[in-house]
Amino acid sequence: MRQRHRTFRLLGSLLLVAMGASATGAAPARGPASPTPLDRVVPAPASVDPGGSPYRITRDTRIRVDDSRETRRVGEYLADILRPSTGYRLPVTAHGSGGIRLRLAKGTFGAEGYRLDSGRGGVTITAAGAAGLFHGVQTLRQLLPAAVEKDSVQPGPWLVAGGTIKDTPRYGWRGAMLDVSRHFFTVDQVKRYVDQLALYKINKLHLHLSDDQGWRIAIDSWPRLASYGGSTQVGGGAGGYYTKADYKEIVRYAASRHLEVVPEIDMPGHTNAALASYAELNCDGVAPPLYTGTEVGFSSLCVGKDITYDFVDDVIRELAALTPGRYLHIGGDEAHSTSHEDYVRFMERVQPVVAKYGKTVVGWHQLTGATPAAGAVAQYWGLDSTSAEEKAQVAKAARNGTGVVLSPADRVYLDMKYTADTPLGLDWAGLVEVKRSYDWDPGDYLPGVPASAIRGVEAPMWTETLSRSADLEYMAFPRLAGAAELGWSPASTHGWEGYKVRLAAQGPRWEALGINFYRSPQVPW
Ligand code: ACM
């Protein structure tokens, strides 16, 4: 911070006016002389050093890329964002000078970090790989006026403030989960959410593909899982499922936005849709009816039957074959109809199956009540009020090498109501306004967990009450941006007073993108 203040003194008066406005929370003056300050970005960059002249995108600007396919792809992605609103051609080319340059170079950026240099002659984003260039492009978007997001020609001018950003993430796991079981969401709806996640440098899309109310992924060896088990949803609608081609398209699209898909098959509880589809999976051999309510904890796979493990092997094998990512999530939460002894036995048999098909186990943190496999990741979804004993169990596993992804329900469950008046969502974890959601530190959140065990932060979206994209957006925005910042930005940048001003600047961008969001009174929009 001291470094930044010192640098600001060297700036021209116009930029100081803009920064002054930022400090007081007032809207900055807009116009050619006041580009968005380099630090008005979410997630907060690791280091910002403003100074020098801004760069202006004009009709002559080129997007210059290294002559590699992956760099060109990021360049085309940027061009697709800039062309409709600027009305400029913005050719993506390996030739010429100046303009917006995307450049691969070895450096201290890590796998996902980048450096952005802006001045009169151009903007250069440098990174070790395409992911870093892509994240740098997200920063560049936020430095341009919100109108750049519109799909019709806007007046501009298109200025990028001068200076340098050096940025690299705090954590490698910056996730968002979407429950496509309680309500089904189409491939296009998932893609829309992926695009929104990418804006905040989220890099994991966790898909909750099965639950009591619906099985959402085609499994060739057990076809009724999808055709019957996927045929309804909460409230009794038609439901749906992803064909293998659909799922591959989601994986491809997510990868094009540098997100890795983490598929979840929740077991041994949350399995009514599977149990309804195949009578032989039930201990009594009788298939229960499909379920369209919202209770939890009433279903369990039959831990004592061999066919259960044939089923698990087939499902994990087929899902692993569709999934290029490293992880496979096996759920393990709320197994209230499974005895502890059975739960431990089940996890002992199932975790090696995940390894056999080349994936790393992820489970909800109840997995730490069994013995997590070597290298497993536990996703913590407790509350402030979760018992010390339960937290200690997670901490003990973490000290033994289990990774921890933090999804505290009373902070980053995006389906919790903001206030008692929020028309959508649930409130079992309490009411979670924007400040509460943002204002915690993943590094010291769970007592006794070594900092090195924390893999990152994930914001789950459970969909008992949510069925449209507009519903997802209203619950995700603005809280998703805060979860993304907790996963990306160094703890030293954390602070509500500064964050709320940067967050307010996202509002016009969300409007331009057609994102439905909650105008929290805590944020100076
Ligand atoms: C959960 O919310 N049952 C993981």
Side-chain angles (χ1 to χ4, degrees), residues 182 266 270 296 333-334 364 366 381 409 413 428 462:
R182 271 50 174 273
D266 201 348
H270 290 278
V296 299
D333 59 321
E334 295 175 313
W364 297 105
Q366 282 73 22
W381 60 283
Y413 264 33
W428 61 263
W462 301 99

Side-chain angles (χ1 to χ4, degrees), residues 16-42:
L16 280 172
V17 167
M19 289 311 302
S22 150
T24 59
R30 284 282 172 222
S34 62
T36 300
L38 281 192
D39 65 350
R40 194 169 297 169
V41 172
V42 177

Side-chain angles (χ1 to χ4, degrees), residues 396-478:
K396 185 170 171 217
R399 286 194 299 274
N400 286 334
T402 298
V404 177
V405 168
L406 291 168
S407 300
D410 53 354
R411 303 284 184 171
V412 295
Y413 264 33
L414 299 177
D415 57 308
M416 288 301 120
K417 290 177 182 290
Y418 297 97
T419 72
D421 294 333
T422 306
L424 301 166
L426 304 175
D427 62 3
W428 61 263
L431 302 171
V432 185
E433 252 288 7
V434 179
K435 180 173 191 288
R436 177 171 177 79
S437 186
Y438 168 78
D439 219 358
W440 58 285
D441 179 5
D444 71 0
Y445 185 73
L446 270 182
V449 172
S452 60
I454 302 294
R455 299 296 168 78
V457 177
E458 182 173 302
M461 179 83 82
W462 301 99
T463 61
E464 287 93 334
T465 66
L466 314 173
S467 60
R468 306 171 306 150
S469 284
D471 298 345
L472 302 181
E473 290 161 18
Y474 187 78
M475 301 311 281
F477 294 91

Side-chain angles (χ1 to χ4, degrees), residues 88-101:
Y88 303 151
R89 276 181 55 242
L90 302 172
V92 178
T93 170
H95 306 291
S97 62
I100 301 172
R101 181 164 182 215

Side-chain angles (χ1 to χ4, degrees), residues 473-520:
E473 290 161 18
Y474 187 78
M475 301 311 281
F477 294 91
R479 290 178 295 196
L480 174 76
E485 173 148 321
L486 289 168
W488 179 281
S489 304
S492 60
T493 63
H494 188 90
W496 169 252
E497 293 304 319
Y499 175 67
K500 71 180 182 187
V501 175
R502 288 184 288 111
L503 187 58
Q506 307 300 308
R509 192 163 306 271
W510 296 340
E511 283 168 5
L513 286 164
I515 295 175
N516 184 34
F517 67 99
Y518 166 59
R519 287 167 174 78
S520 167

